[in-house]
Amino acid sequence: MKTVDYKVTVYTGDLVGATTLNNVYIKLVGTDGESQRQWLIGLKWPVAFIGGEVSTFTVSCPTSLGKLVLIELDKQRLPIILQDPWFPAKVEVESPGGDIYKFPIYRWITDSEVHHFREGKALRVFEDSNHLGAYSREKELKQRSEDYCWDVYIKGIPHCIKADNPLDLPTEVRFSFTKTTEFAFTASTGLAELNLKGLAASQESWSNIDEIKQVFWVKHTKMSDYVQKHWKEDAFFGYQFLNGVNPMLIRRCSVLPSNFPVTNDMVFPKHQFNLEDEMKNGNIFLCDYKRLDGVETRLINGKKQYLMAPLVLLHKTPNEKLMPIAIQLKQTPTDDNPIFLPTDSEYDWLTAKIFVRSAEFSEHQLNVHLLRTHLLAEVFAVSLLRNIPKVHPLYKLLIPHTRYSLQINYLARKLLISKTGVFTAFAASGGEGMITILRNSLSSMTYRSLCIPEDIADRGLETVPNFYYRDDGLRLWEIIHRFVRGILQQYYKNDIEVQKDSELQKWIGDIFEHGFLSKPGTGIPQRFTTVPELVKFVTMVIFTGSCQHAAVNSGQFDYGGWMPNTPTSLQQPPPTKKGTTNEAMLLKTLPDVNTTAQGMATLWLLSKQSSDFVPLGQYPEEHFTEEIPRQLIKDFQAELKTLSSEIKDRNSILDIPYTYMDPTEVENSVAI
Ligand code: FE2
């Protein structure tokens, strides 16, 4: 009898542990019928499914199956071989007529169950007309809603994935073997090297600044060396508000806050400038740490710790430097809360700046880094995994931008902010304080503040010179926006199609509820009504998980490795009047040796690129199989490449190169 032969090519992923020696079975399902479940055995048996291997088989059917809709895959162990996990990357099927059907998989198969994988053409729910396809879509979503459940870690902050240990996470979202090993290795060696020097146990104060250099030399980068040399300089202090790890606090100041009574005589004693005029001219800037006001601090080494909520006034000078001109360390202006000035004694001014930098540590880590990138990325990912099936264009677009985010956040909760976590133990705001700061920060997490064009405009920073976070960030936003628009316009031809996509609407509904706690004041959409609205939101999701996270994550050791530039905690109250500080006081104020060592080791771990890092816009997994989206991906990559060389050219003439948002240095997802 004449048969209809389908050529089936199976690609096993090229990663550690991807190989299976189990027997693999396939069934092809088409619009006109389905094949028998067939054992994929061929010349290469038993090594057809080893990591990186491409193996071809023939599946014969009595009649044509029509258009292929899905495949069913399963694997069964042999009596003498254990059930071993398998990571198939994709399956390609060529019909007798020469049509190629691609089935993206990119997930672990660890059991002997039958798994369905849809053909690669992206389909929205209302066009998924084949009944078998629709059934498989429903089944997938039901399974996902059981695998990915919401949990409340701390009331009043975004919700997270429910998982009691990393093995509770579905295998498809876990760290790779490489990533797991490297992460564990860095975490232990960072401390081990410091432990060897007997520092991690020492509860002593530093006896002089030079002594800190000895610890610092265990780990350092070019930039952290620069910081060590320049940390005391006012121009560098100002520079960090623009291009350090937290470019999110500074804003233009046109009216002084009523609780910050700075006078012209204080800041311009020789009447070089006039404060009112300079505010009018747009040359005065403010950093207000009001979210930290009244935050409870913890004990470290049995000693009370101090965290201020400072106000910092900065002046853009004619030679385009941003210079701090006044610092008030507490929010309420009183006689025992002096306004410190650069004209004060060396140690008064330096101490005031150190209190600002220490407040900066808590503000940056909790609000800017943890809340506004890590926790949000997790919300976007969990909502995607619960509500959007693999065949949906949004899944194909966003899944690479969720890689490792669930597991890194699980680890952050366990190793950093739990009761015994490093942050809890060694930051002034560890414990209760952290919860207060996160809750205070949530109200400022508006949709506008998450979209860099609006954020920069709202903070009045459009024309500030030497602001590379803004320059690179705006370019990246535009490039991502163009890419997202191209892809989504391909699938959503008009607003009605957006409105009737029930899966898409569930995705944003879950984000509004679990990420923004159903607060309409955040401006986060509760549903999508137009294509441009959808495009903008998805742009924000990709930008937040990649560019924004890189901007606030990658420089942590660069700027924090030299402890005096970013102390995790301070252990003396700030001076209540001027003229009472000296070097000895300052050393007593800085964190103890063990706190310094723990802080350094943690920042080192969190700044380190993993060797399976995937840069922005690279998609080693081919979820999109159609021609137009694949071309749009190439265009996106070309634009990123051009931007990267422009950034490199610009950096080559800068004293301090700004590398964090160079597309080759930006990771696709929150993964560290
Ligand atoms: Fe991070």
Side-chain angles (χ1 to χ4, degrees):
M1 193 174 86
K2 197 168 177 292
T3 57
V4 179
D5 292 343
Y6 289 84
K7 193 170 130 193
V8 173
T9 308
V10 180
Y11 296 74
T12 295
D14 189 12
L15 41 102
V16 180
T19 299
T20 187
L21 297 176
N22 296 164
N23 288 344
V24 172
Y25 296 83
I26 196 167
K27 184 196 268 187
L28 310 180
V29 179
T31 49
D32 296 342
E34 54 188 58
S35 73
Q36 297 286 333
R37 171 174 173 263
Q38 184 175 319
W39 179 20
L40 294 180
I41 182 159
L43 295 174
K44 287 189 193 162
W45 189 85
V47 292
F49 307 108
I50 62 172
E53 195 64 46
V54 179
S55 302
T56 301
F57 310 88
T58 302
V59 171
S60 301
C61 305
T63 56
S64 162
L65 304 176
K67 273 195 177 159
L68 294 189
V69 177
L70 57 89
I71 53 170
E72 290 182 6
L73 272 185
D74 66 292
K75 62 175 188 60
Q76 306 297 329
R77 69 183 185 90
L78 298 166
I80 41 156
I81 295 176
L82 291 176
Q83 178 76 258
D84 57 0
W86 178 40
F87 190 90
K90 58 181 177 177
V91 170
E92 277 176 16
V93 181
E94 189 181 343
S95 74
D99 292 327
I100 306 272
Y101 296 91
K102 295 179 177 175
F103 299 84
I105 302 178
Y106 305 106
R107 56 157 292 176
W108 291 95
I109 296 182
T110 53
D111 52 21
S112 53
E113 303 291 308
V114 172
H115 298 270
H116 294 194
F117 298 101
R118 303 293 305 274
E119 200 277 323
K121 179 180 162 45
L123 290 174
R124 295 149 305 156
V125 56
F126 51 82
E127 65 189 339
D128 205 350
S129 50
N130 181 278
H131 70 285
L132 291 168
Y135 171 73
S136 135
R137 186 176 197 117
E138 222 172 85
K139 209 173 147 216
E140 181 189 349
L141 285 180
K142 190 167 171 292
Q143 184 64 47
R144 285 180 177 281
S145 68
E146 288 165 16
D147 289 350
Y148 299 93
C149 293
W150 293 107
D151 201 1
V152 176
Y153 180 68
I154 295 169
K155 253 182 130 182
I157 70 165
H159 300 165
C160 62
I161 180 86
K162 188 166 177 49
D164 294 329
N165 75 65
L167 296 177
D168 281 356
L169 292 173
T171 47
E172 61 189 337
V173 296
R174 272 190 230 156
F175 279 9
S176 67
F177 180 77
T178 314
K179 173 97 176 167
T180 309
T181 342
E182 284 181 2
F183 193 86
F185 183 73
T186 316
S188 58
T189 49
L191 270 174
E193 282 176 48
L194 296 162
N195 265 326
L196 280 177
K197 295 182 172 257
L199 296 173
S202 163
Q203 301 191 1
E204 301 288 307
S205 300
W206 294 101
S207 52
N208 60 67
I209 293 279
D210 278 339
E211 211 184 21
I212 306 172
K213 288 181 190 161
Q214 293 167 16
V215 173
F216 182 69
W217 276 103
V218 176
K219 303 271 182 226
H220 61 114
T221 64
K222 212 167 166 185
M223 186 59 208
S224 67
D225 288 348
Y226 183 97
V227 173
Q228 190 201 318
K229 278 195 201 95
H230 299 274
W231 68 284
K232 287 183 186 173
E233 294 166 14
D234 284 0
F236 182 66
F237 179 86
Y239 170 90
Q240 294 185 76
F241 289 113
L242 297 176
N243 302 309
V245 283
N246 176 14
M248 303 303 290
L249 190 66
I250 189 166
R251 50 199 317 134
R252 178 163 284 168
C253 175
S254 49
V255 182
L256 284 174
S258 58
N259 60 336
F260 194 19
V262 176
T263 64
N264 193 52
D265 287 343
M266 285 180 189
V267 292
F268 301 123
K270 294 179 192 148
H271 301 282
Q272 318 87 304
F273 297 97
N274 176 281
L275 184 58
E276 279 298 319
D277 291 347
E278 285 302 275
M279 282 198 280
K280 267 191 215 123
N281 296 337
N283 291 332
I284 300 295
F285 297 85
L286 177 72
C287 295
D288 187 347
Y289 293 86
K290 59 187 167 201
R291 276 185 282 275
L292 307 182
D293 190 28
V295 165
E296 196 181 309
T297 55
R298 61 167 299 115
L299 298 180
I300 299 179
N301 298 339
K303 288 177 273 189
K304 181 169 165 51
Q305 304 294 303
Y306 296 88
L307 176 66
M308 296 298 112
L311 293 127
V312 184
L313 206 63
L314 298 122
H315 178 223
K316 189 195 88 181
T317 63
N319 66 353
E320 303 200 326
K321 292 255 179 338
L322 193 63
M323 302 297 276
I325 52 174
I327 294 173
Q328 179 182 295
L329 293 176
K330 292 177 251 182
Q331 288 282 313
T332 312
T334 52
D335 288 347
D336 59 2
N337 181 22
I339 295 180
F340 292 97
L341 305 166
T343 46
D344 293 342
S345 76
E346 181 193 348
Y347 280 99
D348 276 2
W349 182 236
L350 184 60
T351 303
K353 285 193 291 181
I354 286 176
F355 271 97
V356 172
R357 293 295 310 161
S358 189
E360 175 68 21
F361 175 80
S362 288
E363 164 71 15
H364 164 257
Q365 288 298 357
L366 295 171
N367 177 27
V368 176
H369 184 201
L370 179 62
L371 176 67
R372 297 176 65 98
T373 65
H374 278 255
L375 297 185
L376 273 190
E378 182 171 0
V379 167
F380 300 148
V382 173
S383 185
L384 185 81
L385 290 158
R386 280 177 64 82
N387 297 305
I388 310 285
K390 281 178 84 141
V391 73
H392 194 289
L394 189 73
Y395 182 95
K396 292 170 185 283
L397 178 59
L398 288 184
I399 199 68
H401 299 286
T402 67
R403 182 172 178 252
Y404 296 160
S405 302
L406 301 188
Q407 186 159 355
I408 195 69
N409 280 9
Y410 169 84
L411 288 172
R413 282 189 281 275
K414 186 168 167 229
L415 303 174
L416 299 179
I417 61 173
S418 65
K419 282 203 166 71
T420 52
V422 184
F423 186 96
T424 308
F426 295 103
S429 58
E432 274 304 304
M434 172 192 83
I435 296 172
T436 312
I437 296 171
L438 286 171
R439 285 188 185 139
N440 290 350
S441 303
L442 191 79
S443 60
S444 71
M445 197 171 69
T446 61
Y447 188 25
R448 287 185 70 85
S449 74
L450 295 167
C451 299
I452 189 171
E454 282 146 81
D455 177 54
I456 293 294
D458 290 352
R459 292 195 283 142
L461 303 177
E462 296 97 324
T463 56
V464 183
N466 314 316
F467 190 13
Y468 311 113
Y469 162 78
R470 172 201 58 205
D471 297 346
D472 299 352
L474 287 174
R475 293 283 307 277
L476 282 161
W477 177 277
E478 270 171 43
I479 293 172
I480 295 171
H481 189 266
R482 217 171 0 258
F483 168 61
V484 169
R485 191 173 57 205
I487 296 272
L488 291 177
Q489 277 180 353
Q490 183 60 24
Y491 297 102
Y492 296 92
K493 298 294 182 202
N494 56 55
D495 297 343
I496 307 285
E497 292 189 347
V498 169
Q499 292 160 24
K500 72 176 183 187
D501 188 332
S502 54
E503 291 166 346
L504 194 62
Q505 301 296 357
K506 278 191 194 143
W507 179 62
I508 188 66
D510 250 15
I511 291 173
F512 179 71
E513 182 186 340
H514 294 281
F516 296 85
L517 311 185
S518 303
K519 292 185 199 301
T522 56
I524 291 291
Q526 299 175 41
R527 54 178 289 110
F528 295 122
T529 41
T530 67
V531 179
E533 233 177 58
L534 171 65
V535 168
K536 181 177 164 187
F537 191 83
V538 173
T539 302
M540 181 278 282
V541 168
I542 296 181
F543 183 87
T544 301
S546 56
C547 312
Q548 182 67 17
H549 178 254
V552 304
N553 182 83
S554 310
Q556 289 179 90
F557 189 83
D558 284 350
Y559 284 93
W562 174 246
M563 177 277 280
N565 189 51
T566 318
T568 59
S569 184
L570 292 172
Q571 35 189 6
Q572 289 293 320
T576 52
K577 53 179 201 278
K578 296 188 181 186
T580 57
T581 54
N582 51 42
E583 191 183 353
M585 268 298 289
L586 181 71
L587 287 163
K588 255 179 86 178
T589 304
L590 289 175
D592 287 338
V593 173
N594 60 343
T595 309
T596 308
Q598 293 280 0
M600 273 184 60
T602 308
L603 294 180
W604 178 259
L605 168 68
L606 298 180
S607 308
K608 223 180 147 203
Q609 231 181 52
S610 128
S611 68
D612 65 355
F613 166 100
V614 179
L616 179 61
Q618 299 302 316
Y619 301 113
E621 300 185 348
E622 292 173 27
H623 289 282
F624 280 110
T625 59
E626 298 159 275
E627 203 177 310
I628 293 178
R630 297 214 53 81
Q631 183 56 46
L632 289 166
I633 288 174
K634 284 188 194 138
D635 298 347
F636 179 41
Q637 292 168 342
E639 285 202 62
L640 292 170
K641 200 171 166 200
T642 309
L643 176 62
S644 171
S645 30
E646 285 171 23
I647 290 176
K648 286 186 172 79
D649 284 349
R650 185 233 16 234
N651 284 345
S652 66
I653 50 166
L654 291 181
D655 269 357
I656 309 173
Y658 186 74
T659 56
Y660 307 124
M661 288 173 113
D662 175 341
T664 56
E665 302 293 319
V666 171
E667 189 152 17
N668 251 342
S669 60
V670 173
I672 188 75

